[in-house]
Amino acid sequence: MNNKVLLVVGGIFGSILLCAVLCVMWGVSVNNSLVGMEESVKSKWSQVENVYQRRADLIPNLVNTVKGYAKHEATVLEEVTKARASVGNIKVQSPDDLKKFDQAQGQLSSALSRLMVITEKYPELKADKGFLELQSQLEGTENRITVERMRFNESAQEYNTFLRKFPQSFIAGMRGFKEKPYFEAAAGAKVAPKVEF
């Protein structure tokens, strides 16, 4: 009888131990998945910053090229330079920081748009080979920014979805994983611009 009790107790203890080991293995697996997904989001964010930096690096060359032709357009050139400087001062570590970063990038885009409008007044500038190359690189960079922002949002969406699902949310809460913010459309982007000739 004593042997039977030992076998039953041993079986129960073994089952509990097996369940505990499986729970720990599952927790480690979820944690490792979250770490991998979070690193993917960080990598995508780095690529977003990379293409924004490429744009920032092109701007001084573009401004200097335009300066030679449009000396009396100093205010717009100054706006572009200031907007570029403000973008470099923002470090994104929270959703609010991402909004500030996005607003600063929007101001820079707006200033660049005004700069491009100015170039329309100077036919000799539009024919300048260096200016055309810079303009082409800037347009390509804007396309890259759009693609990288989309990839970042996709990566953040995958991470956030996994993070919020039960039972992963339990491990995520214990380990301090937080949702990642998304890039959002600028205010007023839903309304089509009015074009008149």
Side-chain angles (χ1 to χ4, degrees):
M1 184 94 129
N2 219 1
N3 284 342
K4 287 184 182 182
V5 171
L6 286 175
L7 283 175
V8 169
V9 170
I12 291 172
F13 179 72
S15 296
I16 291 171
L17 185 61
L18 179 63
C19 285
V21 168
L22 289 175
C23 285
V24 168
M25 288 174 55
W26 170 80
V28 168
S29 173
V30 168
N31 182 71
N32 290 344
S33 294
L34 285 166
V35 168
M37 293 170 127
E38 185 175 48
E39 287 303 313
S40 176
V41 171
K42 287 178 183 177
S43 171
K44 299 289 192 292
W45 175 250
S46 292
Q47 190 55 29
V48 168
E49 288 182 321
N50 181 36
V51 291
Y52 275 126
Q53 184 61 50
R54 183 177 194 277
R55 176 170 76 170
D57 292 344
L58 288 172
I59 290 170
N61 296 330
L62 186 66
V63 168
N64 287 333
T65 303
V66 174
K67 264 185 193 175
Y69 289 91
K71 290 181 176 139
H72 62 280
E73 306 286 1
T75 56
V76 173
L77 298 173
E78 193 175 299
E79 284 177 28
V80 171
T81 304
K82 282 182 183 177
R84 179 183 176 266
S86 72
V87 163
N89 294 331
I90 299 172
K91 298 294 178 211
V92 178
Q93 297 175 343
S94 72
D96 288 339
D97 292 341
L98 181 61
K99 286 181 182 177
K100 289 176 188 172
F101 179 84
D102 207 23
Q103 287 173 343
Q105 290 293 345
Q107 289 171 345
L108 180 57
S109 294
S110 176
L112 282 172
S113 295
R114 288 191 297 280
L115 181 64
M116 290 305 175
V117 167
I118 287 173
T119 63
E120 296 297 318
K121 297 179 185 177
Y122 301 92
E124 62 277 6
L125 174 60
K126 290 193 302 185
D128 181 80
K129 186 177 180 180
F131 174 76
L132 291 175
E133 177 63 28
L134 284 169
Q135 187 177 20
S136 174
Q137 286 186 27
L138 198 57
E139 288 170 357
T141 300
E142 294 299 323
N143 290 335
R144 289 178 186 176
I145 288 170
T146 300
V147 168
E148 295 305 333
R149 285 175 60 152
M150 179 193 69
R151 288 179 180 162
F152 171 80
N153 278 349
E154 288 171 350
S155 182
Q157 184 266 332
E158 180 183 356
Y159 169 81
N160 289 342
T161 301
F162 187 80
L163 178 87
R164 292 180 58 213
K165 285 184 178 179
F166 184 80
Q168 293 93 283
S169 60
F170 179 72
I171 299 294
M174 286 177 28
R175 297 281 293 130
F177 288 96
K178 303 275 188 231
E179 284 189 53
K180 301 296 181 189
Y182 296 105
F183 275 105
E184 297 176 1
K190 295 177 184 175
V191 178
K194 188 174 183 180
V195 180
E196 293 181 15
F197 295 99

